[in-house]
Amino acid sequence: MTKLNRFYVFIVAMLITQAAFADDYKQYAQTVRDSIWAWDKAEFKNYNVPEKYKDESAVILALHEEVYATGSTRIRYTGRGLLGFGLNKELNYMHVFRKMIKLNDKKALADNAEIQFKESDKTMGYYSKTIYKNVIGVRVIKPNGTIKEVDISEAVSITEGKKDKESNKKLAVSDLEVGDILDFFYHEEGRIDYMNIPEQVFTFASKYPILSYSVHCELSKNMTNEYRLLNGAPDFTQSTNEDGDIVLDVKQTDIAKTPESKWLSPYRQFPTIRLCVLYNSNKKIYKPLTARGKGLHKNLPPEQILKDAMHAYNGSSYYLAVKTLNKRIKKHLKKNPSLDKKQLAEYINLTLTNEVQLYNTTRYKTYISTLGALFSKYKIDYKFGFVTDRFDTRNQDAIAYWDYFVVLVANQDSQVFGPPRYRYHIGPYASYEGETVQMVTPKTFNTINFSNLEKRQSEMVIPVSSADQNMNKTEMTVRLAEDNSLTLDINRRTLLSGHQANGRYSDLITAADWRDSVHTWLGEKTYMETLLVKAAKNKKEIESHEASLAKIRKEKETEAKDEIKSYHDLEVKELKEHSFSALGVTPDSPQMIYDVKYTLDGLVKRAGNNYILDAGKLIGSQLTLDESNQQRTLDIYMPYARSYEHEIKVEIPAGYTAENIQTLNQSVDNACGAFISSADIDGSTLRIKAKKIYKHNYEPAANWNKLVEMIDAANNFYGQSIILKKK
């Protein structure tokens, strides 16, 4: 046989091998299930709950994970070489997660009765392919020891998008009851081209006690394997297998539950191992110049990860639209020659935001480099800043360059800029506040000089905004509806400043209104104003634009109704109108003002000739803490310091008086928070004022009782009613 013929035979064999990965899924899944259910692990045969955990909602009897990662070079179709075949490096990856949990009450049953999963996933690239095949297995173990395997074909598809594309599957676990043990696993296998496997995170904490949690990893010795221990996590024991690959094992038993479920920063609080398996020997996978070589690397110095982040950013490209932006800036400066550097920096940033939002082209590093190019041109001093998110890892605990976000710190460190995380966001992100940003002065607009890095480096703490800066103020008028005295007519105005403007309310803004507001601030005509210059000629475009806006605003009604439900925790009876008096998206008008009129049932009851009004509920639904959250051992990470203020006017119907209003007077004010309320009568109007304040974005666990005191006061107010008594 000639060499060429042998090559053809080899190609055919390779095609058969690769086809096996795409073989019959049903057979593949059954093989996986048989293998995992056959595990000979003592912890998965122990169905007994220790006496000290008998009263827990649920107990995790056993939790085990396995990770396998190997790199290989295969002959694959690449579009190059003989017959289009060539050598292609790929990463083979497998992850198994198995958990066995005893369900002791209805709440645990409800929380674990459904499982979502994805059977397969793939991404296609130019001459490359990444394929994941996923399998789940579910068994129910009855108190008498009977084991029933759940039929996975009972799962239903969850679709999304206009074409109802399947995103996941959802399995309702049949015949699952209180007292049962749920034993399930998730098996993921991937063949990956030109990328690394997902970062592996092992967290030794849960809202339920864990009797046994173990992890087993087998990682190619030719990979770059890096891991970091966080918050006192147990360390791996290291060994090698018969192929010389790295084997890591860790096991911890009797892990107490972590009842806290709110205001957490898990990477800063829970014992966790983060593991990155990097195919750094593959030249087609990006890695910074400072990347490590093959082998095992534990708890790398944070300075090394910071340099990785700097190299990952260094020399980033900028938007070609910079020429267009430059023309706008020059024109604006000509009209406003007295602008100071801070005002100019704000203008440039919002001009760039408008450009990338208009064309949906936001790319993080490109945004920063473009902003740097423009700042450099207009002689605005700036530095690159590298910062971690306060709801992610700390600076000193970073494991990879992607833990850092790049910002621009300008004008003697007085301004912090970053790409728009939210569509209508202005200002530094709340999750960076209080974080130390590592800064470096660039050599050019997007280049870091590493030869004398120490001389160019500095750091600062990003300022923390106050509760008064992040205000949500409600002005509300309320009256009993004329046609139904059990229905309330409500006019509500919400004024939002700072970080409070992001999220639910900013989502109500249409893109067209946002662009119009920004263009007006930029000193430019809006799209409609441009059309109206030649109205006769643009008649069709004007009609089309108006029709499009009307359709979009109609669609926003659903979101407006959702906002009302979120506020009152009640379905709106009738939405009459909603609009913005101010969008709050430009520096000259930073406050967002939202108006909504609607009718609502559920807050008024008849009592003979009188009415009972749940007046406390007019301030909106409140955070409640169950019994398990009355005590706390973990520090408190809140999104930001904030305040909520309510001024409510209730029209007292003719022939009635308002009684029991003294119950609306509350006052709690301590070092962490405050809830202060009052009520009085002015003629035929009941006036209610309430203010709730979270004074800081962070509190030590020792201060939890002070926050609970404030939260309890707000809930006490929320539960109060007044009587509208017939004279």
Coordinates of all heavy atoms in Angstrom, one line a residue, residues 569-595:
D569 N -46.8 44.5 44.7 CA -47.0 43.0 44.8 C -48.5 42.7 44.5 O -49.1 41.7 45.1 CB -46.6 42.5 46.2 CG -46.3 41.0 46.2 OD1 -46.1 40.5 45.1 OD2 -46.4 40.4 47.3
L570 N -49.1 43.4 43.6 CA -50.5 43.2 43.2 C -50.6 43.5 41.7 O -49.9 44.3 41.2 CB -51.5 44.1 44.0 CG -51.7 43.9 45.5 CD1 -52.4 45.1 46.1 CD2 -52.5 42.6 45.8
E571 N -51.5 42.7 41.1 CA -51.8 43.0 39.7 C -52.5 44.3 39.5 O -53.5 44.6 40.3 CB -52.6 41.9 39.1 CG -51.9 40.5 39.1 CD -50.8 40.4 38.0 OE1 -50.7 41.3 37.2 OE2 -50.1 39.4 38.0
V572 N -52.1 45.1 38.5 CA -52.8 46.4 38.2 C -54.2 46.1 37.6 O -54.3 45.1 36.8 CB -52.0 47.2 37.3 CG1 -51.8 46.6 36.0 CG2 -52.6 48.6 37.1
K573 N -55.2 46.8 38.1 CA -56.5 46.6 37.5 C -56.6 47.3 36.1 O -57.1 46.7 35.1 CB -57.6 47.2 38.4 CG -59.0 47.0 37.9 CD -60.1 47.5 38.9 CE -61.5 47.3 38.4 NZ -62.5 47.8 39.4
E574 N -56.2 48.6 36.0 CA -56.2 49.3 34.8 C -55.0 50.2 34.7 O -54.8 51.1 35.6 CB -57.4 50.1 34.6 CG -57.5 50.9 33.3 CD -58.7 51.8 33.2 OE1 -59.4 51.9 34.1 OE2 -58.8 52.5 32.1
L575 N -54.2 50.1 33.7 CA -53.1 51.1 33.5 C -53.7 52.2 32.6 O -54.1 52.0 31.5 CB -51.9 50.4 32.7 CG -50.8 51.3 32.3 CD1 -50.1 52.0 33.5 CD2 -49.8 50.5 31.4
K576 N -53.7 53.4 33.1 CA -54.3 54.5 32.4 C -53.2 55.2 31.5 O -53.5 55.5 30.3 CB -54.9 55.5 33.4 CG -56.1 55.0 34.1 CD -56.7 56.0 35.0 CE -58.0 55.5 35.7 NZ -58.6 56.5 36.6
E577 N -52.1 55.5 32.1 CA -51.0 56.2 31.3 C -49.7 56.1 32.0 O -49.7 55.9 33.3 CB -51.4 57.6 31.0 CG -51.6 58.5 32.2 CD -52.0 59.9 31.8 OE1 -53.1 60.1 31.4 OE2 -51.1 60.8 31.8
H578 N -48.6 56.2 31.3 CA -47.3 56.2 31.9 C -46.4 56.9 31.0 O -46.5 56.9 29.7 CB -46.8 54.8 32.2 CG -46.5 54.0 31.0 ND1 -45.2 53.8 30.5 CD2 -47.2 53.4 30.1 CE1 -45.2 53.0 29.4 NE2 -46.4 52.8 29.1
S579 N -45.4 57.7 31.5 CA -44.5 58.5 30.7 C -43.4 59.0 31.6 O -43.4 58.9 32.8 CB -45.3 59.7 30.1 OG -45.7 60.5 31.1
F580 N -42.3 59.5 30.9 CA -41.2 60.1 31.6 C -41.2 61.6 31.4 O -41.3 62.1 30.3 CB -39.9 59.5 31.0 CG -39.5 58.2 31.5 CD1 -39.9 57.0 30.7 CD2 -38.8 58.0 32.6 CE1 -39.6 55.8 31.2 CE2 -38.5 56.7 33.1 CZ -38.9 55.6 32.4
S581 N -41.2 62.3 32.5 CA -41.0 63.7 32.4 C -39.5 64.1 32.2 O -39.2 65.1 31.6 CB -41.5 64.4 33.8 OG -42.8 64.1 34.0
A582 N -38.6 63.2 32.6 CA -37.2 63.4 32.4 C -36.6 62.0 32.4 O -36.9 61.2 33.3 CB -36.6 64.3 33.5
L583 N -35.6 61.8 31.5 CA -35.0 60.5 31.4 C -33.8 60.4 32.3 O -33.4 59.2 32.7 CB -34.5 60.3 29.9 CG -35.6 60.3 28.9 CD1 -35.1 59.8 27.5 CD2 -36.8 59.4 29.2
G584 N -33.2 61.5 32.7 CA -32.0 61.4 33.6 C -30.8 60.7 33.0 O -30.1 60.1 33.7
V585 N -30.6 60.9 31.7 CA -29.5 60.2 31.0 C -28.4 61.2 30.6 O -27.4 60.7 29.9 CB -30.0 59.4 29.8 CG1 -30.9 58.3 30.3 CG2 -30.7 60.3 28.8
T586 N -28.5 62.5 30.9 CA -27.5 63.4 30.5 C -27.0 64.2 31.7 O -27.7 64.4 32.7 CB -28.0 64.4 29.4 OG1 -29.2 65.0 29.9 CG2 -28.3 63.7 28.1
P587 N -25.7 64.7 31.7 CA -25.2 65.3 32.9 C -26.0 66.6 33.3 O -26.0 66.9 34.5 CB -23.8 65.7 32.5 CG -23.4 64.7 31.4 CD -24.7 64.4 30.7
D588 N -26.6 67.3 32.4 CA -27.4 68.5 32.7 C -28.7 68.2 33.4 O -29.4 69.0 33.9 CB -27.6 69.4 31.5 CG -28.4 68.7 30.4 OD1 -28.3 67.5 30.3 OD2 -29.2 69.4 29.8
S589 N -29.2 66.9 33.2 CA -30.5 66.5 33.8 C -30.4 65.1 34.4 O -30.9 64.2 33.8 CB -31.6 66.6 32.7 OG -32.8 66.2 33.2
P590 N -29.7 65.0 35.5 CA -29.3 63.6 36.0 C -30.5 62.9 36.7 O -30.3 61.7 37.0 CB -28.2 63.9 37.0 CG -28.5 65.3 37.5 CD -29.1 66.0 36.3
Q591 N -31.6 63.6 37.0 CA -32.7 62.9 37.7 C -33.7 62.3 36.7 O -34.2 63.0 35.8 CB -33.4 63.9 38.6 CG -34.4 63.2 39.6 CD -35.0 64.2 40.6 OE1 -35.6 65.2 40.2 NE2 -34.8 63.9 41.9
M592 N -34.0 61.1 36.9 CA -35.1 60.4 36.1 C -36.4 60.6 36.8 O -36.5 60.5 38.0 CB -34.8 58.9 36.0 CG -35.8 58.1 35.2 SD -35.4 56.4 35.2 CE -33.9 56.3 34.2
I593 N -37.4 61.0 36.0 CA -38.8 61.2 36.6 C -39.8 60.4 35.8 O -39.9 60.6 34.6 CB -39.1 62.7 36.6 CG1 -38.1 63.6 37.3 CG2 -40.5 63.0 37.2 CD1 -38.3 65.1 37.2
Y594 N -40.5 59.5 36.5 CA -41.4 58.6 35.8 C -42.8 58.8 36.4 O -42.9 58.8 37.7 CB -40.9 57.2 36.0 CG -41.9 56.1 35.5 CD1 -42.1 56.0 34.1 CD2 -42.6 55.3 36.3 CE1 -42.9 55.0 33.6 CE2 -43.4 54.3 35.8 CZ -43.6 54.2 34.5 OH -44.5 53.2 34.0
D595 N -43.8 59.0 35.6 CA -45.2 59.2 36.0 C -46.1 58.0 35.5 O -45.9 57.6 34.4 CB -45.7 60.5 35.5 CG -45.0 61.7 36.0 OD1 -45.0 62.0 37.2 OD2 -44.3 62.4 35.1

